[in-house]
Amino acid sequence: MMHNIAATTIAITAQLSLALSWITPTAATDVIGSLRGSSSRRLEQAECVCSPRTFTFRLNFNGSCDVNTIQGNPGVNGTQCELRGFPTENEVEDKTPVEVVFVQIMEVTAEKNWRQQIYEGPFYDGDTIDYTSMSDSLQPGELLGEQDVPLGFFMKLTGKNAADESLFHGIIWMYNLDNCDAEPITEGDAIGLFEVVEYTSAIPAFCPRLEN
């Protein structure tokens, strides 16, 4: 049985921005909580998990939120991207960083469990960041509904432009756990200032496409 994807996508569009201003476990789990109520059945009853187990992201300081190859991918329910001055009230014309001082990656499950990893800079254009997803810990032979399955993926960074003005960049994508037809994120995907340059595919036992 498929989710009501249209209703879920509307909820995502309305709610993702709540977590972008300052991506915290509380903000992220609030987004997940809103999505649980908008689906046609409980989101934790996943049909499959085709999201990557590991990611290598490359920073592309020439990127922008106009770049988004993840939106519309099979297995992705919605995305959001923001690049602006920091704090919010700071008006910044030059949104091209020359240095990133902080990166945060966080995943949240349908049960509102979360995992985050903090990376202290400095980072520069072309630098890479490795992240191991909670999906790497999934155990074949156990029910997905009893394990931590990532539903939302959150990334943010803070940095500075050439004028030493502070920048904030946040991105979010949400997985559709009913779509087993394709991997939702693959090498070459890009959103904002982040590019996926390497990844490890999902555990085949949880992703029927990879068993073929």
Side-chain angles (χ1 to χ4, degrees), residues 27 38 60 79 82 173-174:
S38 67
N60 175 14
T79 65
E82 186 174 0
W173 65 75
M174 309 298 293

Side-chain angles (χ1 to χ4, degrees), residues 181-209:
D181 296 332
E183 295 175 284
I185 311 294
T186 60
E187 184 176 331
D189 274 331
I191 180 171
L193 305 182
F194 294 97
E195 300 175 343
V196 180
V197 294
E198 191 173 338
Y199 74 105
T200 303
S201 293
I203 298 171
F206 295 125
C207 186
R209 176 187 179 278

Side-chain angles (χ1 to χ4, degrees), residues 3 5 45 60 67 74 92 94 113 130 133 179 183 202:
H3 290 172
I5 294 175
Q45 294 175 342
N60 175 14
V67 176
V92 174
D94 180 8
N113 297 324
D130 295 322
S133 169
N179 192 319
E183 295 175 284

Side-chain angles (χ1 to χ4, degrees), residues 114-172:
W114 56 273
R115 174 190 293 176
Q116 70 173 346
Q117 186 164 342
I118 304 297
Y119 305 82
E120 299 287 349
F123 300 103
Y124 300 99
D125 189 31
D127 284 352
T128 58
I129 295 170
D130 295 322
Y131 177 75
T132 299
S133 169
M134 61 175 62
S135 65
D136 190 52
S137 300
L138 295 175
Q139 298 298 314
E142 297 184 14
L143 294 176
L144 282 177
E146 297 176 355
Q147 302 187 66
D148 283 337
V149 177
L151 178 62
F153 195 98
F154 302 73
M155 301 178 69
K156 79 172 181 183
L157 63 77
T158 56
K160 297 182 178 181
N161 63 15
D164 203 36
E165 297 171 307
S166 294
L167 299 173
F168 168 89
H169 180 43
I171 62 173
I172 300 173

Side-chain angles (χ1 to χ4, degrees), residues 84-96:
R84 56 169 170 78
F86 181 78
T88 306
E89 60 270 17
N90 287 2
E91 295 288 340
V92 174
E93 291 189 7
D94 180 8
K95 297 181 177 63
T96 301

Side-chain angles (χ1 to χ4, degrees), residues 25 28-33 35-36 43-44 106-115 133-135 138 144-145 147-154 174-175 177:
T29 53
D30 284 348
V31 172
I32 299 300
L35 293 180
R36 284 165 60 101
L43 287 168
E44 68 267 31
M106 182 168 59
E107 292 178 294
V108 182
T109 74
E111 289 294 343
K112 301 186 180 182
N113 297 324
W114 56 273
R115 174 190 293 176
S133 169
M134 61 175 62
S135 65
L138 295 175
L144 282 177
Q147 302 187 66
D148 283 337
V149 177
L151 178 62
F153 195 98
F154 302 73
M174 309 298 293
Y175 294 118
L177 302 181

Side-chain angles (χ1 to χ4, degrees), residues 6-29:
T8 304
T9 301
I10 291 172
I12 290 167
T13 302
Q15 297 295 329
L16 288 186
S17 59
L18 296 178
L20 274 177
S21 295
W22 189 258
I23 300 175
T24 65
T26 299
T29 53

